[in-house]
Amino acid sequence: MKLLFKENKLKKPKRFLNKDTIVYRWVFNNLAILILILFVIATIMIYAIQNYYYMSTQQYLTAKLTTITSVLSKYSTDTTKNFSSEVRNMVETFADKDKMELMAINSKGNIVITSSGFSPDMSVTMNDFDQSMETKGFGYWRGRAENNEKIMAVSYPIFSKNSDYAAMRVVVSMSDVDSTISSMSLLIISCCMLVLLPIIFSGIYFVGSIVRPVQKINSITKKFAMGNFTERISGESNDEIGQLCESINHMADELSTAEAMKNEFISSVSHELRTPLTAIKGWAETINAENDEETTRKGIRVIVSETERLSRMVEELLDFSRMQNGKFTLQMTKIDILAELEDAILIYTEKAKRENATISYNSPEMLPFIFGDKNRLRQVFINIIDNAIKYSGTPERESHIIINAFRQDSKNICISIEDNGCGISAADLPRIKTKFFKANHTKRGSGIGLAVADEIITMHHGTLRIESTENIGTTVYITLPTESARKNNSH
């Protein structure tokens, strides 16, 4: 129980709206802006609707009051009519008394008659009447009645010398208007919500479709960082996220291959180092223990041979390290490529005989000089001839290595090294120049010799091409530009 509690305590809760998450940025950037825009639009629309209805009500009351005062204006000039009686009669018989209230106001600002028959409180506010008296025109006011009901009032002065009436006033309740505005406002808000909800749900789905793969990628790449390359990300789409998943899976494949090659390389190099060291140690102990001249000479030959082998292997590793660090340099001079090739052939002629192999060299009379590093080029020839002997010579079957040097065209010379050995499979051939890669694990070697050779030829602006058929043989073509071609290209 204590252990379970400790594990639960160590697990940090996931914060859905952590400010560093994509969801947080979407909610507080895109969604917040969208809500703000909809809020502004809804506010403007509600204000416009309210203004429209209030103005319509005001215009309606103005028109109604204009009609009433026009009739009263005629009565004021008609001597046969009693103006005060006509005013009272018009107020009392007002046809729209169920919708609004008509009032007659005297010169003291007191309401004398109302269409409802009720006398209002004398202290009621009548800003519309004050405005009408001041401007000699229409006065408007919106406010609340003594019962706290929201109302709108319009007043207009009566121009009559024979009457104590100063103005007519109409008052209407705004309850129905406000109810209509509220309904319209609710409809607008509902429409905004109907617009917002699909956007929210589609946005959540969209963000989730990004976040879920990213979380998987994050989880699996952490495993990659720990050296576990077995996991793969399942692509759910063909968009950029899906392409990213494919790229990461491809990267994992490459890392896994590189890791396997690295481990194999370490194992291979360890074996390659151990074999000559064991031979050197064994023969040194034998020479020390036995005082035999023949044994001593034989032991010294083995020790020298294995020491040279170790030296070449260490040099390959150093060259590879320099290549990785960008410190691999060439000492470029004008050289005779045939001289370097023939030196490499001479070095390996005796070794080929010991490995039951023969070297046939078709030497041309002359080839153009090239501009290059003679030691590095000799290293390339040695590496390729050594591979040809290694992968072709067997005690049961004599192998043949054919070397040709010729002028390919006016700008390039070519050197081909052909063997009738085990060959390279079609699957392994594209990777044969990759560092650490070994097509045949039964043969000695570090797996970086061809990678170094290819880099050297590339730095000479040439190409190293390999053609091979399994169980038939391999041919390596080295193409290098002539000195004159290099000069023309540099100009």
Side-chain angles (χ1 to χ4, degrees), residues 322-357:
R322 293 187 193 105
M323 285 167 51
Q324 295 296 99
N325 296 330
K327 296 179 180 179
F328 192 83
T329 57
L330 301 177
Q331 303 297 323
M332 306 294 280
T333 58
K334 180 180 177 181
I335 62 171
D336 180 2
I337 192 67
L338 290 178
E340 306 310 321
L341 176 61
E342 288 167 1
D343 282 350
I345 294 171
L346 184 61
I347 291 171
Y348 275 89
T349 299
E350 290 300 320
K351 181 179 179 180
K353 291 179 181 178
R354 292 195 301 270
E355 299 288 341
N356 197 23

Side-chain angles (χ1 to χ4, degrees), residues 13 193 299 363 445 465 483:
M193 292 298 295
S363 175
R465 182 168 56 89
E483 181 194 18

Side-chain angles (χ1 to χ4, degrees), residues 229-230 232 251-261:
F229 301 109
T230 59
R232 292 296 181 269
M251 179 191 72
D253 293 336
E254 294 299 319
L255 288 173
S256 179
T257 303
E259 183 72 12
M261 290 173 64

